[in-house]
Amino acid sequence: VSFYDSLEFCQKLSEAVGIEFNLPSEAQWEYACRGIIDPSQYRQLDGIYIYPPFNFGDTITQTLANYNSTRTYQQENIGIHRQQTTEVGYFSANNFGLYDLHGNIWEWCADDWHETYHNAPKDGSIWIDGYDQYSPMRGGSWAAFPFYCRCATRNKVQRSSRSRYNGFRVVYNYKKKGIN
């Protein structure tokens, strides 16, 4: 699906359900991917936080996510390449109960593309003052090598691009509607 297909789905879902759904911002996507409940365990002595590259730790294997495991990460064993998506729930959820944030499909984010995070919003909101013909995609895919499945990896993709590697997830702000 393209970025525009994803937005159209969010709009139709919002109208059908009566709640505003959106694509996540890059910040929301990465926060959800990391699934960190207690960040204090990642605080270094100098006060800097260093997070692992994956929500399940320092490495990735074919038993943790769907990616092209004919290449390795951290000298893990070579695995199989499934060559297609897997069903949600095939792999374990992260600490937030979310599935498939590493591999399976690249996921569109709502932001405009920015080369760096300089002047990025600090509240996790969608950043839309950049180059609006491109958006970031996150998460890697079933065809991606393990490096591209890391929490922090981002991919610049033209918004009109459609690919069997592209997908999306939706978010809504329940606090915005006054629901607790």
Side-chain angles (χ1 to χ4, degrees), residues 72-85:
T72 63
Y73 193 87
Q74 298 286 8
Q75 301 175 350
E76 295 290 345
N77 292 326
I78 290 177
I80 61 168
H81 182 200
R82 293 178 180 84
Q83 300 183 16
Q84 63 184 4
T85 57

Side-chain angles (χ1 to χ4, degrees), residues 52-145:
F54 306 99
N55 67 43
F56 33 73
D58 290 327
T59 193
I60 186 171
T61 68
Q62 69 177 10
T63 62
L64 299 170
N66 185 22
Y67 64 97
N68 184 346
S69 58
T70 61
R71 293 267 178 98
T72 63
Y73 193 87
Q74 298 286 8
Q75 301 175 350
E76 295 290 345
N77 292 326
I78 290 177
I80 61 168
H81 182 200
R82 293 178 180 84
Q83 300 183 16
Q84 63 184 4
T85 57
T86 52
E87 279 188 42
V88 173
Y90 187 87
F91 299 99
S92 297
N94 72 6
N95 290 333
F96 292 159
L98 302 172
Y99 294 91
D100 298 322
L101 286 144
H102 299 288
N104 222 23
I105 56 166
W106 283 102
E107 297 182 9
W108 288 108
C109 293
D111 306 69
D112 292 345
W113 176 259
H114 296 82
E115 292 296 329
T116 71
Y117 294 124
H118 181 69
N119 293 325
K122 298 195 184 319
D123 63 358
S125 61
I126 297 168
W127 192 14
I128 54 171
D129 66 350
Y131 190 45
D132 68 358
Q133 295 200 10
Y134 293 86
S135 276
M137 293 190 89
R138 305 293 292 262
S141 80
W142 56 267
F145 294 128

